[in-house]
Amino acid sequence: GEYVYVLKLKATSPETEALPQFESIVGVKAYQTITISNPLERSVLLQVKCSDLDHFNLEDVGSDATLKFEPLETREIRVWFLPDDIGEVQTAQLQLVESEVGEWVYSLSGVGKEPVPYNAMDLRSQVSVETSGMVRFRNPFGYDVEVHVSLTVEAKGQRYSGGRRGGKKAFFLQLKKRRETLRPNETLQIPIVFCPSQMINYTGAVNVRVKKKNITFVYPLVGRTEAMKSPKIIRIASKARRVHKEIVELNLKDLRFPSPTATEEFEYEVKMPEDPSQRDLIQLLRTCLKVELLETTLTAPDAKLKLRVRFEPLRPVETYCDVIVLKKTGGCWNFRLLLNATQPEIDDVIHIRAAPSTTSSVAFGLNNMLPGSAEFKAYFIEDTEMFRVSPRKGMLAAEGEDPTRIVISFSPQEYGKPVSATLVILTNMMQWTYDIQGDYPRYTTPQVESRLRETLGVDWGSRLRPNTTGRPKRNAIRDNIKAVRGSMQRKAMGGRSRMQTERWFREMEQREVNNLPRY
């Protein structure tokens, strides 16, 4: 027999999930991650609802408070908490709702903690030269507060307070009013001026005290005194895909020692270009440029530090970076490195042969030599219509995967001398260069056999009938030349021959004699 079972299934909404309590400094966001899965084979749009949007919300939620999920997609979403008070527990309920999927409900809670010092602001300037910075304090509390701003400065273990110009201080406040009342989320901008008087390091802090809570927000300051930037540019030049090693001497101008027997210790840092659009260039420099101080201690002010530079570019590049030498007791020197990598050696020579009005192609595979795949572009340096490369751009396969296929075509239109072009395949980190040689098939003269059984030799004229008349042979070429010359003379004398001309002169003389008078 058989047994038949009737199943009645009912899907219910998941139970409310309580996330661990958030803890964060007042005015600073804290994050937790939740995982959402779309069980349907179609896209869904989740509506986001939160009972306290001032303190809790999702990071990736749109302006219309929705989240879109693709079919069967699973995604991690970050939930943030922003406290506006200290020691007070704040709660909320977060809902993600869709008509068919149902809803996810999360119970949220968080508490604000007292502030800790923020990251230090780094200011640099030369002796007696001013530079400025800006500290921004935002009122994180949900009510109006009165704040008092002060400044503390330390140099060589000595502590100064206040913030007015003069004395041995190096940091100065440029606020007209030290006391302000701020509304919730209102920002107070605090301008800072750094003007060192000695070749030493300075530290300080901007203190913003909230009177109602009796707490202080601390913004540390670090001031470094720089020597005048060296006008000499250190040039490092090499061919791409070659290792260039060089030792450079650094002259620390205006270096002073506290005593003849003292020693000074140094460290360094490399400052890359700060343009966000040059992200690939910065990554290239970090890969191909290595610098190192051979000596970190000097025993005399006129001694020089030695910097070892290793430059190994994988593609042509021309850029710069700064090497900053820092004295541990205070002071720094800036040196500009000008880096120039020229075109690399040819990787290979590729020969292609094609007849006029035809196309021949050569294909090869190429992998990225660095970890992972990379975008590339392929082009010819010369402006040529005979050569083509395909594809012109795409993804270069990683090492170990099936190589990317590169096809080069040669299409000549007529015979001529061999042509060449330079093919470049370029990624953001590396370059390959190929010499493409285009040639034509060799022309060979066709060999044809004569069907004549016998031919005349070169002496066929002497074998003709001999001269038996005894008369001299006529020179036809000489007679023709004389005839032409005679014709030209007759034309010059009015068309008369020489005998006709002489007869005409005799008749004219006889007429003159007959016409003479008789006595």
Side-chain angles (χ1 to χ4, degrees):
E2 63 180 13
Y3 299 90
V4 179
Y5 298 90
V6 178
L7 302 179
K8 294 184 178 180
L9 305 178
K10 182 180 180 181
T12 60
S13 299
E15 296 181 355
T16 300
E17 180 180 350
L19 296 184
Q21 187 178 65
F22 289 86
E23 291 185 357
S24 180
I25 298 171
V26 61
V28 179
K29 285 183 178 181
Y31 295 90
Q32 290 190 40
T33 301
I34 59 176
T35 302
I36 304 295
S37 297
N38 175 19
L40 302 182
E41 295 183 350
R42 65 171 181 84
S43 299
V44 297
L45 196 65
L46 299 181
Q47 295 289 331
V48 181
K49 300 178 181 179
C50 185
S51 60
D52 185 2
L53 291 175
D54 293 332
H55 302 100
F56 300 92
N57 206 345
L58 298 181
E59 186 178 36
D60 299 327
V61 68
S63 58
D64 56 351
T66 60
L67 283 175
K68 184 178 180 181
F69 279 76
E70 299 298 330
L72 305 177
E73 179 187 2
T74 299
R75 189 192 312 171
E76 291 186 345
I77 304 174
R78 300 209 320 175
V79 184
W80 57 260
F81 166 62
L82 180 62
D84 63 358
D85 210 338
I86 297 174
E88 179 182 347
V89 178
Q90 296 166 319
T91 60
Q93 189 176 61
L94 177 67
Q95 295 176 290
L96 305 177
V97 183
E98 207 273 338
S99 58
E100 291 190 33
V101 177
E103 65 177 5
W104 289 268
V105 182
Y106 297 91
S107 178
L108 310 177
S109 65
V111 62
K113 301 169 61 178
E114 292 189 0
V116 296
Y118 292 85
N119 294 331
M121 175 185 290
D122 192 354
L123 297 173
R124 300 184 181 188
S125 182
Q126 300 174 15
V127 174
S128 302
V129 177
E130 293 185 354
T131 188
S132 61
M134 186 72 70
V135 172
R136 293 175 175 84
F137 171 76
R138 183 185 64 84
N139 177 17
F141 299 100
Y143 43 83
D144 294 354
V145 295
E146 181 182 346
V147 298
H148 176 259
V149 182
S150 62
L151 176 69
T152 57
V153 183
E154 292 183 2
K156 284 189 175 182
Q158 302 181 27
R159 185 180 181 88
Y160 307 94
S161 61
R164 304 291 182 185
R165 292 179 179 273
K168 297 182 179 180
K169 299 180 296 298
F171 295 105
F172 308 96
L173 290 176
Q174 285 192 325
L175 276 179
K176 294 182 179 180
K177 296 171 59 177
R178 301 297 181 87
R179 297 180 184 272
E180 293 282 352
T181 300
L182 303 178
R183 298 187 298 274
N185 293 322
E186 184 179 357
T187 299
L188 174 64
Q189 295 187 349
I190 307 171
I192 305 295
V193 174
F194 174 57
C195 184
S197 59
Q198 303 178 49
M199 199 70 168
I200 58 175
N201 290 340
Y202 296 83
T203 58
V206 174
N207 307 298
V208 181
R209 186 171 65 88
V210 179
K211 184 177 180 181
K212 185 174 183 179
K213 288 290 186 178
N214 195 25
I215 60 174
T216 301
F217 293 81
V218 180
Y219 297 84
L221 304 174
V222 175
R224 302 181 187 275
T225 308
E226 291 184 328
M228 184 178 296
K229 184 175 292 187
S230 174
K232 182 181 178 181
I233 297 178
I234 302 173
R235 302 180 184 275
I236 307 296
S238 172
K239 277 191 173 184
R241 298 174 61 182
R242 281 189 178 180
V243 179
H244 177 81
K245 298 180 181 179
E246 187 173 342
I247 295 179
V248 179
E249 291 187 345
L250 305 179
N251 183 21
L252 307 183
K253 188 177 180 181
D254 299 328
L255 176 61
R256 299 289 185 271
F257 278 31
S259 65
T261 58
T263 60
E264 291 286 359
E265 294 186 359
F266 298 86
E267 54 188 7
Y268 73 97
E269 61 184 37
V270 179
K271 186 177 181 182
M272 302 293 181
E274 298 180 351
D275 188 354
S277 63
Q278 297 182 337
R279 181 176 56 186
D280 291 342
L281 177 61
I282 295 174
Q283 182 183 0
L284 175 65
L285 287 181
R286 288 175 177 170
T287 303
C288 69
L289 180 65
K290 304 295 181 184
V291 297
E292 179 186 4
L293 279 179
L294 298 180
E295 302 170 351
T296 59
T297 303
L298 292 183
T299 58
D302 56 350
K304 296 181 180 181
L305 287 177
K306 292 184 178 180
L307 183 73
R308 179 164 53 198
V309 181
R310 179 187 174 93
F311 186 43
E312 189 178 0
L314 298 178
R315 53 165 287 185
V317 64
E318 185 174 2
T319 185
Y320 70 90
C321 67
D322 292 329
V323 175
I324 302 174
V325 178
L326 306 172
K327 184 160 65 77
K328 290 188 176 181
T329 58
C332 60
W333 290 260
N334 194 326
F335 299 91
R336 173 65 55 91
L337 295 184
L338 182 61
L339 307 170
N340 183 19
T342 57
Q343 291 291 336
E345 299 288 347
I346 297 295
D347 289 281
D348 200 358
V349 179
I350 299 176
H351 295 273
I352 308 178
R353 179 170 293 174
S357 300
T358 64
T359 299
S360 294
S361 300
V362 172
F364 63 93
L366 188 64
N367 290 86
N368 187 23
M369 295 179 61
L370 300 176
S373 58
E375 293 185 4
F376 77 93
K377 59 180 179 179
Y379 61 92
F380 289 97
I381 295 179
E382 300 83 3
D383 186 11
T384 176
E385 296 181 355
M386 295 187 184
F387 294 102
R388 294 192 306 273
V389 59
S390 177
R392 294 186 176 181
K393 60 181 179 180
M395 293 297 296
L396 203 61
E399 189 72 27
E401 298 180 0
D402 292 337
T404 302
R405 191 167 183 262
I406 307 295
V407 180
I408 307 167
S409 301
F410 176 49
S411 304
Q413 298 300 317
E414 59 185 8
Y415 278 105
K417 63 181 181 180
V419 294
S420 63
T422 304
L423 174 65
V424 172
I425 300 177
L426 183 67
T427 69
N428 62 336
M429 298 293 291
M430 191 163 180
Q431 173 176 311
W432 292 263
T433 309
Y434 299 91
D435 183 15
I436 313 300
Q437 298 285 341
D439 201 355
Y440 310 92
R442 293 182 179 180
Y443 178 79
T444 57
T445 305
Q447 302 294 329
V448 180
E449 294 184 3
S450 177
R451 296 182 180 180
L452 298 177
R453 297 182 178 179
E454 187 176 352
T455 59
L456 297 176
V458 295
D459 58 344
W460 66 273
S462 62
R463 291 187 282 115
L464 295 178
R465 182 175 59 183
N467 184 9
T468 58
T469 60
R471 291 179 296 183
K473 295 181 180 180
R474 181 184 175 189
N475 191 333
I477 295 177
R478 182 179 59 192
D479 294 345
N480 290 339
I481 293 175
K482 286 184 177 181
V484 171
R485 288 180 178 175
S487 175
M488 294 177 63
Q489 290 177 356
R490 287 194 302 272
K491 188 176 181 180
M493 294 182 292
R496 304 181 184 91
S497 66
R498 183 176 180 182
M499 295 180 62
Q500 290 174 342
T501 303
E502 292 177 354
R503 187 184 306 117
W504 181 81
F505 274 109
R506 287 196 299 270
E507 290 176 356
M508 291 298 295
E509 291 177 356
Q510 187 63 38
R511 287 180 183 179
E512 290 179 0
V513 172
N514 294 335
N515 292 332
L516 290 176
R518 297 180 182 274
Y519 297 98

